[in-house]
Amino acid sequence: EVQVVESGGGLVPPGGSLRLSCEGSGFTFGLFWMTWVRQAPGKGLEWVANIKHDGIEKNYVDSVKGRFTISRDNAKNSLSLQMNSLRVDDTAVYYCTRGAAPSLWGQGTLVTVSS
Amino acid sequence: DIQMTQSPSSLSASVGDRVTITCRASQGISNSLAWFQHKPGKAPESLIYGASNLQIGVPSKFSGSGSGTYFTLTITSLQPEDFATYYCHQYNSYPYTFGQGTKLEIK
C-alpha cells in the first residue's frame, strides 16, 4: 500500500523540543520531494517546510526558520522534522506529504505546546 | 509572500448540485496550483495539480481550470461524501501558501 505514516507528536512545554518522523512505503521514496504541512486548531492548512530528493535543498516558512530542521534518510524511507524552541502557536496537527505539490498525505500527528 | 484568496469562504448546496470555488493569487503563479479536500479528523486528499490535472483515482466530477492569478474548482453532481472543506495551494514561489479554505455544507 502506498502511504506515509507520521509519528512523534505529543505534549511539550514552551521552549521545548520535539522530533517528528514520517515513514514512506509502497513508492520509491528517494524520487520525491517531501513536505510538512500543519493545521492549528480551528485554522486552515499551513505549509511548513520541504526537502528535495537528495536532501540538499530545504525550504521553510519564515515563522519556523532557525527553529525547525527538515531532514531525510532515503535508505530508510524516512523524513524528519526537528522542532526546537517550540511556541504555543506551533500547536497543530502536522502532516507529512509526498511531493512538492502534495499528492499523498499521512493521517497527521498532533503537537501540543503548553505549560 | 503570495496570498491565496478563496471565495466563497462557505457555501451551502444540495445533493445533485454543481458548485464552483474560486481562488485568486496575489501575483502570477503560472499553473502551479493544487486543490485539496479535507474532512474533519481525516487526512487531506489531493484532487488536482497543475491547475487542471486530476490526481490518480479522483473522479471526473472534479475539474480545475485557470492560470496566472485566477483559478476555479468545479464539482458536479454533489454527493454526501463531497461535503468538506476545500483548499487551494500555490507551489510556484516560496514560501508556498494555501488559501483560507471553502467549507462546503449540505443545504
Side-chain angles (χ1 to χ4, degrees), chain A residues 3-5 7 19 21-31 34 53 71-80 96:
Chain A
Q3 63 179 357
V4 291
V5 179
S7 61
R19 186 177 183 88
S21 297
C22 169
E23 183 172 336
S25 59
F27 63 98
T28 307
F29 187 86
L31 294 182
M34 295 297 294
H53 327 79
S71 61
R72 66 190 297 162
D73 183 342
N74 289 339
K76 297 181 178 178
N77 294 338
S78 70
L79 174 73
S80 296
C96 167

Side-chain angles (χ1 to χ4, degrees), chain B residues 59-98:
Chain B
S60 59
K61 63 186 301 179
F62 294 95
S63 63
S65 68
S67 182
T69 62
Y70 182 77
F71 303 87
T72 62
L73 172 70
T74 298
I75 313 169
T76 59
S77 187
L78 281 172
Q79 297 301 305
E81 61 269 22
D82 299 327
F83 292 91
T85 299
Y86 292 85
Y87 293 92
C88 63
H89 170 59
Q90 70 82 15
Y91 53 96
N92 184 75
S93 300
Y94 290 112
Y96 293 170
T97 47
F98 287 85

Side-chain angles (χ1 to χ4, degrees), chain A residues 61-72:
Chain A
V61 68
D62 282 352
S63 61
V64 309
K65 279 180 183 175
R67 301 188 299 122
F68 290 12
T69 302
I70 190 172
S71 61
R72 66 190 297 162

Side-chain angles (χ1 to χ4, degrees), chain A residues 39 47 50 59 95 101-102 105-106, chain B residues 36 38 43-44 46 87 91 94 96:
Chain A
Q39 184 177 37
W47 181 87
N50 71 2
N59 301 283
Y95 295 100
W105 297 67
Chain B
F36 305 102
H38 195 195
S46 299
Y87 293 92
Y91 53 96
Y94 290 112
Y96 293 170

